[in-house]
Amino acid sequence: MTSTDPNDPIADALLGDSTYERLRVERYALIKRRIPQKLVYQSGLLFALALVVPIVATYPSAVQAAFPGGDPLWSSPLVLWVGVYAGGIELGTATCLVAVAIARRRYEPHLSESQVHALLNVEDVASMFGLATGGFAILITVGFFLLGHAGIETVTAVVESAPRDPYGRTGVPVPVIAVGAAAAISSCVVYAAGRYLSSK
């Protein structure tokens, strides 16, 4: 069976030769995009996480002085670990999506419907964790760091109202600049993977 309308991706999937694409379109999923597009979205989330570096670097001097050592770029605040957790989720789920895409391309002519469903299950779970859970955690991280630009009064109010100082020093010295750099590099790698898969 071959596609009849290349301008209609749903019809193309339903009428095409790919069992994977047909079942992907037929099944319910909150995130219906193809894997290369999902990887591009995850790349964007990682890039957003990398923005904590310029956000922190441009803090007012009073806010910078409130961080341990007076240099927020080299500090390791508690809220940063939400970003570390989110970045790990993005990398892990992006790896799963790439693995699914590779398995599909390598074995698809011989995949049974049950095997395709198994791959789609992995894709759906990875997509939800990466784009929903990881994305939400990144937004929380960036949001907390953006509060620093509201002034020292806002930062002080947040610290006093929180059960634990979100900007306080943690026991593991992983600085903001290191997390931002890792997120930027990861963003480029995930984006390149998405573009590579979309070209195949």
Side-chain angles (χ1 to χ4, degrees):
M1 189 178 293
T2 58
S3 172
T4 59
D5 186 359
N7 296 318
D8 186 344
I10 295 179
D12 188 61
L14 291 173
L15 301 176
D17 296 324
S18 172
T19 302
Y20 188 94
E21 287 299 327
R22 176 175 59 81
L23 294 178
R24 184 183 66 82
V25 169
E26 289 177 348
R27 69 189 268 139
Y28 171 78
L30 288 175
I31 304 172
K32 299 288 287 186
R33 300 292 184 176
R34 294 179 175 177
I35 287 177
Q37 293 169 308
K38 293 174 182 177
L39 290 172
V40 171
Y41 294 157
Q42 288 189 283
S43 169
L45 289 171
L46 286 165
F47 180 77
L49 180 60
L51 291 178
V52 298
V53 172
I55 289 171
V56 166
T58 54
Y59 274 167
S61 57
V63 175
Q64 292 191 24
F67 279 78
D71 188 354
L73 275 177
W74 292 97
S75 66
S76 181
L78 179 63
V79 70
L80 181 65
W81 283 94
V82 179
V84 172
Y85 165 75
I89 288 178
E90 295 301 336
L91 283 178
T93 54
T95 301
C96 287
L97 291 177
V98 170
V100 168
I102 291 173
R104 174 211 162 179
R105 292 172 188 274
R106 180 174 297 178
Y107 303 113
E108 185 172 25
H110 311 291
L111 289 174
S112 66
E113 287 202 5
S114 62
Q115 290 172 321
V116 170
H117 278 298
L119 288 176
L120 286 168
N121 288 338
V122 174
E123 179 183 341
D124 288 346
V125 171
S127 301
M128 286 301 300
F129 272 98
L131 296 174
T133 306
F136 182 66
I138 286 174
L139 290 177
I140 289 176
T141 304
V142 175
F144 264 95
F145 279 108
L146 280 172
L147 287 174
H149 283 282
I152 188 62
E153 296 83 4
T154 301
V155 172
T156 302
V158 170
V159 170
E160 290 176 349
S161 62
R164 185 176 175 186
D165 183 0
Y167 304 106
R169 189 194 305 269
T170 59
V172 183
V174 179
V176 170
I177 194 168
V179 173
I185 294 170
S186 300
S187 174
C188 293
V189 171
V190 172
Y191 180 81
R195 299 304 297 172
Y196 174 78
L197 290 174
S198 67
S199 67
K200 292 296 182 179

